[in-house]
Amino acid sequence: MLKSLLTFVLAAFVALGSSAATTWWLSSRSAEAKVEESQKITQKKTRPITVPMLGNGQVNGYVIAQFGYAASEDALKKLQVQPEPFILDEGFRMIYEDDKRDFHSFRKTNLAALTTELRTRVARRLKSDAIQDLVIVDFNYVSKDLVLK
């Protein structure tokens, strides 16, 4: 009789303990899910841009570039304007104004520095760090000789 009573009490404690642990675990998971929902990241691509490359007073070719970016949906909603025009404008300016890069005799370029600088310039113009990452989707040089053929 005493063994049966102890077994019953032990079973009741195990049942109550497992119920409490399950409730605690489920409530912590729902809190984590709410945090993850508020930090949804969206990825977008800009349209391609064509940047003329000038040299000796004439067009030598064109750089065709397309960028992609990742940003928090909440941060994008807080912006008063969309970031794409600013990314395209700053990208165009950086490529067009950079005399250090000779695209006609194309060689390796530090693309990480290009995207980092582009992201910094866009953040400065937007007055926001909404864009978390900026990548190069497409980057090509087309010589004027190939265009005219």
Side-chain angles (χ1 to χ4, degrees):
M1 177 77 168
L2 186 60
K3 282 185 174 183
S4 297
L5 184 61
L6 288 174
T7 304
F8 174 75
V9 170
L10 180 64
F13 279 125
V14 168
L16 286 174
S18 66
S19 175
T22 302
T23 303
W24 173 79
W25 180 68
L26 288 175
S27 66
S28 69
R29 282 190 64 208
S30 66
E32 289 173 4
K34 287 178 184 175
V35 169
E36 287 177 9
E37 280 182 20
S38 68
Q39 296 178 355
K40 284 186 179 175
I41 303 296
T42 185
Q43 296 178 348
K44 296 185 178 186
K45 289 182 191 177
T46 65
R47 65 177 175 76
I49 58 172
T50 305
V51 183
M53 301 311 297
L54 305 176
N56 299 329
Q58 62 182 2
V59 175
N60 293 330
Y62 301 91
V63 172
I64 302 166
Q66 184 178 20
F67 304 100
Y69 61 96
S72 163
E73 287 183 4
D74 292 339
L76 287 177
K77 288 177 186 174
K78 290 177 185 176
L79 289 176
Q80 294 178 358
V81 294
Q82 290 296 315
E84 182 173 335
F86 294 94
I87 294 170
L88 294 175
D89 181 59
E90 286 297 331
F92 187 97
R93 290 171 189 253
M94 285 178 60
I95 295 168
Y96 186 79
E97 295 171 351
D98 192 359
D99 292 332
K100 297 174 198 166
R101 292 184 178 95
D102 180 17
F103 291 100
H104 192 68
S105 59
F106 203 56
R107 55 185 180 272
K108 286 190 179 183
T109 301
N110 188 354
L111 295 177
L114 185 123
T115 56
T116 301
E117 183 183 352
L118 180 57
R119 184 176 168 268
T120 303
R121 289 170 71 164
V122 169
R124 189 178 322 124
R125 284 191 56 191
L126 291 175
K127 297 180 177 99
S128 170
D129 286 330
I131 296 176
Q132 296 175 354
D133 196 15
L134 199 135
V135 297
I136 296 173
V137 176
D138 192 15
F139 198 82
N140 292 306
Y141 176 77
V142 179
S143 174
K144 175 183 77 169
D145 300 333
L146 293 174
V147 175
L148 296 176
K149 288 184 179 181

